[in-house]
Amino acid sequence: MAEEGWEPKIVAFCCNWCSYGGADTAGMGRFQQPASTRVIRVMCSGRIDPLHVYNAFLEGADAVLVTGCHIGDCHYVNGNEKTEVKYNFLEEMLQQLGLEPDRLHLNWISASEGERFANFINEVTAKVKELGPSPLKPEGVK
Amino acid sequence: MSKLVGAVAIAGGGIAGIQSAIDLASSGLKVYLIESSTTIGGKMAQLDKTFPTLDCSMCTLSPKLAEVARHPNIELMTYSEITGITGEPGDFTVTVKNKATYVDYDKCTACELCVSKCPVKVPDEYNEGQNNRKAIYLAFPQAVPRVFTIDADHCLYLNKGKCGNCQKACENDAINFEDTDKEVDINVGSVILNTGFEPYDASNLEQYRIDHPNVVSSLEFERQLSSSGPFEGHVTLADGSHPRRIAWIQCVGSRSPEIGRNTCSSVCCMYATKEAMVAMEHDLDLETTIFNIDIRAFGKGFEEFYQKAKNEKGIRFINSRPSGVEVDPVTDNISLKYEAEDGSGIKREEFDMIVLSIGLTPSDSSKNLAKIAGVEMDDNDFVKTKIDHPLETSKPGIFVCGAMQAPKDIPDTVADASGAASKAASLLSSERGNLVTEKKYPPEKDMGDEIRTGVVVCRCGINIGNIVDVPDVVEYAKTLPHVVLAKEEVYACSTDSLEGIADLVREHNLNHMVVASCTPRTHEPLFRETLMEAGLNPYLFELANIREHCSWVHQNNKEEATKKAKDIIRMSVSRANLLQPLYQEKLEFNKDALVIGGGIAGMNAALDIAEKGFKVTLLEKESELGGMLLKFTHLQDGRTTKEVLEPIIQKVESNPNITVHIETELTEQEGSMGNFKGHIKGANVDEDIEFGVAIIATGANELEPEGYFSYGEYSNIITESQLEQKLDEGVDAKNVVFIQCAGGRNDERPYCSRACCTVAMKNAIRLKESDPDRNVTILYRDIRTFGVWEELYTKARELGVVFMRYTEDKEPEVSEKTVRIFDHLMNMDFEINYDLMVLSAPMVTPETNELLAPMFKVTLDANRFFLEAHIKLRPVECATDGVFLAGTSQAPKLVDESVSQASAAASRACTILSRDFLETIGNVSVVDPELCIGCGRCTLVCPYNAPELKEVTVETEEIVYITKKSEINPAVCKGCGCCAAECPTGAITARHFTTPQIMAVIKAYGEGI
């Protein structure tokens, strides 16, 4: 369990066409979220290298979200299918390193699903708050 | 024609108008896109998902909206309508009335400050009146143009002279209550009409009780399903609870001659199935029932979608048309009475919600516009066209497309729209480029050695400024690496601020720029242009989104929002500091076209391209031009196929830009768009060929239904095409039986072949008309005479053709002289005598598809037709650039659809051929050959086949060896960066999203937490 008042730090990788748009739509709809998450935009979720995710943990993220278009909706035909393949591998690797499953998520969010984006941030933040700081966090970072 | 004007007026800014506009503008013509509402997007913008793939409608549409907004050759005229059209082909004067919007579009930044101050609530049209908007409004968040409009009918100030709150709230002085309607004349060479349809008003049919709060129209239901709809995607009853049982009633306002609605609306069966499926995804326990006359799943992938809905999702389809909705006077519950399919009589069933599948009808404004344009209408108030000229109105130079011509779905509308654009562009081909102006930018300045980054933090009025402590953030930004200047703006995107940003770049010699404001998805192009005006490469700009991702979602936590804004800016600056200038490469290319297949589609495509001045090679593998139509003798409008084929064959053969090779096939093929190289071999030719674009129009064939319904066993069982040949000689059979779906809609060929019901109807009518005493019976599963062809079905019934339904599990049993059929309603077997049996067999693909597909690196679908790039919005393009589809090579279709699609393919192809150069995108990926080990991972993940392994000779000091290295074709790369993430050695750089750039952002993230 984390210290009183501790807030999780989350990195969300978003693709330009769908999930980044979903985060935008959450804003337009004023779906309130905890200020836990920082978005990193790439053109396609297929650009997200497992090393990016791993490095985000090493920099102190308590959870990392990999997000993209729904399967079938990818702006680049099927980039998200490749994301899924890489993600599955990464998930297994990070769990072997002792990372709890709730710290890494793959989610498909369309540009119109603002509420879904906000709910997702709310849910992950709540879960990670229970888990406390990530075991991969560098020393001295809260 | 004395004068030709290189401009086109497009009436209607729905998906059809958008597609026509993009095609024409990209072909070097000036476009005026005239739309009566405040935004383009049309009905598609209101849809939640699209069938049969359940794609998000807005997600696929909004990039097109943005493309129109940005296109330098398109002049948007929203809130406008056409009041007059005079002149002649090549030189029309179109009078356009611009309605007063009371908002200065140049000043409005869509900051929304006015909205919360407006006290007036108006039913929101976008959500079909199911919630309210204000009197000053933006139709929906993705609206284009992204500016607010005052609704003059409801504004307090305009009607009563008091209020004016919006004017007080606006910090940019954009409200102008003195605005007036204006009328302008525009001079154009051609006009395209595509003002679409109007959903049928169900209140005309009192028996369906749309007045009851739990009876809704399908469009109201569509909005309820949408996450941007009135209930955030939750289907909701009047009492706020959610329904358990929902029923759809099909054909409300369609297929109803008794109310003057003769046509089938073509889309309702599929949208109802889609709506039921999506509703069940939201709520797994939901029970859904669709009451229908026939299920018309006739388009590509539709039958498979319908079977999935029925067999896997458990949607109940009941073949019965309820006479109306009954409301219990005591409980107010709603129920339907219908005839049970098993013959057990009339049943009554209660539902929580009833959705009326309302049809597509011509709108009053469309009818009025047709009158202004002086074009002929048909009896159903659609614009009259001919099967072989489906885009041409009765008036030369004026073209029509989409649902104004007949009820149709999105892909057919999009194909029409490109087709109409092709017709207009052919007329004006000599004027290409004459009326468009290219924007000139100053040359790029020297970047110098030092990174000098500027940061502008936008207050967005109070949107950001009231939540985020902007002065504090500005001070923080000044402390970040390489930041030489940081300042705040009230509205960074206002015209004067943009000029201010350009001045900052010049005065402080900045070479990287960060604006912290809103989303790059809407505003990046604007700021990039500002950088270009200041002599900086547009790729040196970075947007930090502190509005949508920050101030708007942390409204109650100013402290955290301010901290987050600092984090976002720190991360953005770290990225901006590493951004590199990128350039679009200009490549020379081949401007000839190759059309494969000399049927009605291939010939039309070849002609449309040739008429624009490009050279075309047309290949036909048979010994004469004409394709599948040669096997049929008549069209469904009564004309002979000869009448239609002869003039077009003559035109093709006499066109100096077209070279025809009969009995010839493409045997080899390589290269990419603009640079295809192949080999053709045939009766009189055996040579290499080079071309820039290719159109695949290889068509389809009627299946020989061997093994179905005793075909081949008895000589009096024939196919539709064989019947047509016979009919010309005269048929004396007294008893004729047709069997539909002979070899189609089964496990082997799960698709519906779309045309056969209409063909059977045409032939049944001919049989009856030539001998009224003849008995004609059609055994069918669903009659799919969609759109205006429904009238043929009505006529066949009037002539006395007998229709009997059969189901797949109890197929008719055929012996030499009789056929046995089980009738579900009567619950008994019938035996029918016949002298002649006609099987409606599906269209099947030619085997050559299997050879062509790998040659062009394109994909075939499960039924071996060619797969288009996007089932809704790119129906005639392959995923491989420069390769297009026309006619039945893509899916079964009728002649008019093949012709329209052929023009569409030509139009899309000519948007490429009209360019001076092929321009790459800036952020293509590149391979470092030193690091590449030739593993080929990149070639496996790229959906566009941009990387290719090439043999290279490597010379080192010790050894010379031959190996393979990947090379990415910049003309084909789309910049997704998937290859860079896959490359095991880091040899691939995804430009603009390089590994160092992404890593810097991650590091900057860590520095502040």
Side-chain angles (χ1 to χ4, degrees), chain B residues 613-875:
Chain B
F614 302 106
K615 299 268 183 230
V616 184
T617 303
L618 176 62
L619 305 184
E620 169 55 50
K621 82 178 168 202
E622 303 298 334
S623 58
E624 60 177 319
L625 293 172
M628 190 165 35
L629 265 191
L630 292 171
K631 297 204 172 132
F632 292 83
T633 63
H634 282 72
L635 294 177
Q636 64 267 33
D637 63 2
R639 286 184 298 161
T640 63
T641 48
K642 213 172 154 197
E643 267 176 81
V644 171
L645 280 175
E646 267 178 2
I648 180 163
I649 292 174
Q650 199 267 329
K651 264 177 151 177
V652 165
E653 287 177 339
S654 63
N655 191 305
N657 283 338
I658 303 178
T659 310
V660 180
H661 294 292
I662 53 165
E663 290 180 87
T664 302
E665 293 185 64
L666 184 72
T667 54
E668 280 169 50
Q669 164 58 33
E670 58 167 33
S672 59
M673 177 171 88
N675 188 27
F676 288 114
K677 290 182 176 67
H679 189 87
I680 54 173
K681 197 168 180 178
N684 304 309
V685 63
D686 186 355
E687 63 184 35
D688 287 340
I689 180 172
E690 294 189 5
F691 49 97
V693 296
I695 293 181
I696 299 177
T698 47
N701 303 311
E702 183 189 43
L703 173 77
E704 280 278 326
E706 215 69 59
Y708 296 99
F709 304 111
S710 305
Y711 180 84
E713 282 178 49
Y714 312 115
S715 61
N716 57 343
I717 302 181
I718 60 174
T719 65
E720 294 285 354
S721 69
Q722 291 160 4
L723 170 68
E724 293 204 15
Q725 305 292 348
K726 255 188 189 314
L727 264 168
D728 272 5
E729 299 152 16
V731 170
D732 53 10
K734 278 291 167 203
N735 299 298
V736 183
V737 174
F738 287 73
I739 300 182
Q740 299 302 104
C741 305
R745 294 180 67 191
N746 55 17
D747 289 342
E748 200 183 336
R749 283 170 222 93
Y751 57 97
C752 164
S753 199
R754 186 177 184 120
C756 341
C757 280
T758 301
V759 170
M761 227 52 75
K762 166 189 76 179
N763 288 334
I765 289 170
R766 277 185 77 195
L767 281 165
K768 264 297 193 190
E769 282 180 339
S770 60
D771 180 0
D773 294 332
R774 192 178 348 236
N775 296 313
V776 178
T777 308
I778 296 184
L779 312 183
Y780 70 99
R781 288 168 61 189
D782 292 277
I783 291 292
R784 292 180 171 171
T785 45
F786 58 93
V788 295
W789 309 119
E790 176 69 8
E791 290 195 312
L792 292 180
Y793 182 28
T794 308
K795 185 173 175 189
R797 290 199 313 264
E798 282 168 2
L799 289 171
V801 177
V802 174
F803 289 85
M804 294 182 81
R805 187 189 294 272
Y806 75 91
T807 55
E808 201 196 352
D809 55 327
K810 278 200 173 162
E811 285 191 338
E813 289 166 28
V814 178
S815 50
E816 194 175 355
K817 292 276 180 210
T818 61
V819 54
R820 211 178 161 79
I821 179 173
F822 176 75
D823 186 296
H824 287 262
L825 282 179
M826 308 286 277
N827 201 12
M828 60 188 284
D829 278 339
F830 278 83
E831 207 156 82
I832 306 166
N833 294 329
Y834 72 88
D835 314 314
L836 183 66
M837 172 161 296
V838 185
L839 300 183
S840 286
M843 291 183 211
V844 290
T845 56
E847 278 167 18
T848 46
N849 284 7
E850 308 293 334
L851 301 173
L852 274 178
M855 272 193 225
F856 282 102
K857 297 172 188 157
V858 299
T859 317
L860 299 177
D861 66 24
N863 301 318
R864 314 317 284 167
F865 290 94
F866 284 93
L867 186 66
E868 61 275 38
H870 188 273
I871 194 156
K872 286 287 167 190
L873 296 186
R874 297 177 68 195

Side-chain angles (χ1 to χ4, degrees), chain B residues 249 564 734:
Chain B
I249 302 178
K564 182 169 172 179
K734 278 291 167 203

